[in-house]
Amino acid sequence: MKLAKLKVTNYKNYEFCEIEFSNTITTLVGNNGMGKTNLLDAIYYLCIGKSYFTSSDKNVVRHTADFIRLEGYIDDNKIVNKNLIGKEKTIEIDAVEVTKLSDFVGRFPIVVIAPKDIQSLVDAGDDRRVFINNTIGQYETDYLQNLYHYNRLLKQRNALLKTALEQRTLDHTLLDILTMQMVPYSQKIYDARVKFFDELLPLFIQNYTSINNNAESFELTYKSDLQSNNFEELAQQSKARDIFSGRTNIGIHKDDLIFTIGDRKLKEFGSQGQVKSFVLALKLSQYHLIKKMTNKLPFLLLDDIFDKLDNLRVNHLLKMINDGEFGQIFITDANKHRVNDLLKEYGINFTEIWVENGTLALQ
């Protein structure tokens, strides 16, 4: 895949910009706060239909504006992403409107590696589940739809339990109906995550071992309530607890990835270097898994990571870039010379774009 041209209107600090991309690798350099990360996020939004860095579309609209519009040309496709705040967003491919976001996600696979990943993936189970969903959703057609239906039913079940706790009365029949409706979606999501983990693990082992030269023992584990029983049985076992607490305490919404170093939790005992290696290996494995499952080279967005990674990890990444393991790459850096000098050192061709106050200039 190649993004040949991008037009951005009212996205964060961009009133309007238009840029063509010629090389496989583009560096976006400029001082902090000028809009480098915002442009990467616009590319991500174009391909996925939402921001990588914020959960609310309201936060991506330029101040004083009430809409965003992204237009991109990927291979032979013209993609238009429009969002009028307060209205439903629309996505078009070659002037044909996409009716469901789940049908769009994965058409143009993309992976981001950003500084926020280093802590969020280690600290927050919610972010690890987002990582899982973001990965599977880009290659398995029905996954996001199953997730949507599960979460909708979960919200209804939790609302019923909360009301029952407050009012001291519960409609047990309705609770059982909601539980039974969640069963098939729960199982499909779990099955997809098991397959995801089975494919991810060998890639992760390879990447982590390569980055650290097999310096220490490490482990990546998938944890799910459904490993012990199906959702129906688990819900029955947890029913009294759910009623007492006013929420659903078991299910795939509690799934997690467990990171350990030397039999200890990475979050509690890992050094900064170990945390960075773990997260970098995980994100690279995400890229290679999506690449394998889609038979496409996803876009790779590298946001300011050359400032956050040490020489060992930077050199590992540059070697992979030099070996042609990735497709089109966009790299941001506040240091104009650092990223460009490193690419030149490896003999890697690239195009440099200077970013300043939401304007772009080829260098």
Side-chain angles (χ1 to χ4, degrees):
M1 295 189 310
K2 182 180 180 183
L3 175 62
K5 188 176 183 179
L6 177 67
K7 296 180 182 179
V8 178
T9 304
N10 290 335
Y11 198 88
K12 296 189 175 179
N13 70 322
Y14 288 90
E15 182 176 3
F16 177 79
C17 75
E18 180 177 350
I19 190 74
E20 294 186 7
F21 303 104
S22 55
N23 272 322
T24 301
I25 298 175
T26 301
T27 63
L28 304 166
V29 295
N31 296 326
N32 290 324
M34 294 293 104
K36 302 183 300 297
T37 298
N38 294 344
L39 189 62
L40 285 193
D41 200 35
I43 296 172
Y44 185 85
Y45 198 111
L46 177 75
C47 295
I48 294 293
K50 63 180 181 179
S51 167
Y52 185 75
F53 296 96
T54 179
S55 60
S56 173
D57 283 338
K58 293 180 181 179
N59 296 330
V60 303
V61 181
R62 188 177 64 88
H63 180 60
T64 73
D66 62 357
F67 76 97
I68 62 170
R69 188 180 191 277
L70 303 171
E71 179 180 316
Y73 295 81
I74 300 176
D75 297 337
D76 296 326
N77 302 116
K78 176 184 176 181
I79 302 97
V80 177
N81 236 310
K82 295 180 287 185
N83 191 344
L84 180 63
I85 299 305
K87 309 260 184 185
E88 284 192 15
K89 68 179 72 175
T90 60
I91 301 172
E92 297 176 356
I93 302 177
D94 298 326
V96 178
E97 186 171 342
V98 177
T99 57
K100 292 189 296 186
L101 184 61
S102 58
D103 291 337
F104 176 72
V105 174
R107 287 284 300 271
F108 309 102
I110 189 167
V111 170
V112 181
I113 305 179
K116 81 177 189 72
D117 300 322
I118 294 173
Q119 281 309 122
S120 66
L121 284 172
V122 173
D123 288 344
D126 285 344
D127 287 332
R128 290 189 289 274
R129 283 184 286 277
V130 168
F131 168 81
I132 294 171
N133 296 335
N134 178 273
T135 306
I136 303 174
Q138 293 197 63
Y139 65 76
E140 186 157 315
T141 309
D142 297 330
Y143 181 79
L144 293 179
Q145 274 296 104
N146 291 329
L147 192 65
Y148 166 79
H149 289 302
Y150 177 88
N151 286 333
R152 176 178 56 82
L153 291 165
L154 176 65
K155 184 177 180 180
Q156 293 176 13
R157 192 177 193 270
N158 282 339
L160 177 65
L161 289 166
K162 182 180 179 182
T163 300
L165 184 64
E166 293 170 349
Q167 298 181 358
R168 303 296 179 182
T169 181
L170 173 64
D171 186 337
H172 288 267
T173 301
L174 179 56
L175 180 65
D176 291 341
I177 290 172
L178 290 172
T179 300
M180 290 304 299
Q181 289 178 336
M182 294 171 71
V183 170
Y185 299 117
S186 178
Q187 191 62 47
K188 289 175 183 177
I189 293 165
Y190 172 70
D191 291 343
R193 289 178 177 178
V194 169
K195 179 182 177 183
F196 150 82
F197 185 74
D198 288 344
E199 295 284 352
L200 182 78
L201 185 58
L203 295 171
F204 174 78
I205 292 172
Q206 179 181 348
N207 278 307
Y208 190 85
T209 302
S210 178
I211 293 171
N212 284 278
N213 296 316
N214 206 19
E216 70 252 332
S217 62
F218 60 92
E219 190 171 356
L220 176 67
T221 309
Y222 170 52
K223 180 183 178 183
S224 176
D225 292 329
L226 269 70
Q227 288 166 329
S228 62
N229 218 326
N230 62 47
F231 182 76
E232 181 182 2
E233 291 295 328
L234 291 169
Q236 288 301 320
Q237 295 169 14
S238 183
K239 187 173 182 179
R241 181 185 171 199
D242 290 353
I243 295 171
F244 180 78
S245 63
R247 64 178 183 274
T248 305
N249 291 280
I250 53 87
I252 55 96
H253 57 286
K254 299 288 188 178
D255 286 4
D256 206 352
L257 292 173
I258 310 301
F259 306 156
T260 56
I261 291 284
D263 298 326
R264 293 182 169 188
K265 289 185 178 180
L266 179 69
K267 178 180 178 179
E268 298 173 3
F269 297 98
S271 67
Q272 274 196 344
Q274 288 171 329
V275 168
K276 290 176 181 178
S277 291
F278 220 96
V279 173
L280 179 59
L282 192 65
K283 296 294 290 186
L284 292 175
S285 302
Q286 178 189 34
Y287 183 94
H288 286 107
L289 177 55
I290 295 173
K291 173 182 170 182
K292 175 182 178 180
M293 293 300 193
T294 61
N295 290 315
K296 296 178 181 179
L297 287 172
F299 297 118
L300 180 62
L301 312 184
L302 303 176
D303 182 36
D304 200 29
I305 66 167
F306 289 92
D307 184 46
K308 305 302 179 184
L309 300 177
D310 57 33
N311 290 337
L312 174 69
R313 293 159 187 87
V314 167
N315 288 332
H316 177 78
L317 187 55
L318 286 170
K319 183 178 183 303
M320 295 178 73
I321 292 173
N322 198 34
D323 289 344
E325 295 195 30
F326 306 111
Q328 194 171 10
I329 304 173
F330 300 87
I331 307 171
T332 68
D333 200 328
N335 185 322
K336 179 176 181 178
H337 300 290
R338 175 174 46 205
V339 61
N340 294 338
D341 289 348
L342 283 168
L343 292 172
K344 289 175 183 176
E345 185 180 328
Y346 273 79
I348 299 171
N349 293 324
F350 65 94
T351 298
E352 177 189 346
I353 296 176
W354 180 256
V355 182
E356 186 168 4
N357 290 325
T359 61
L360 309 177
L362 288 169
Q363 298 296 295

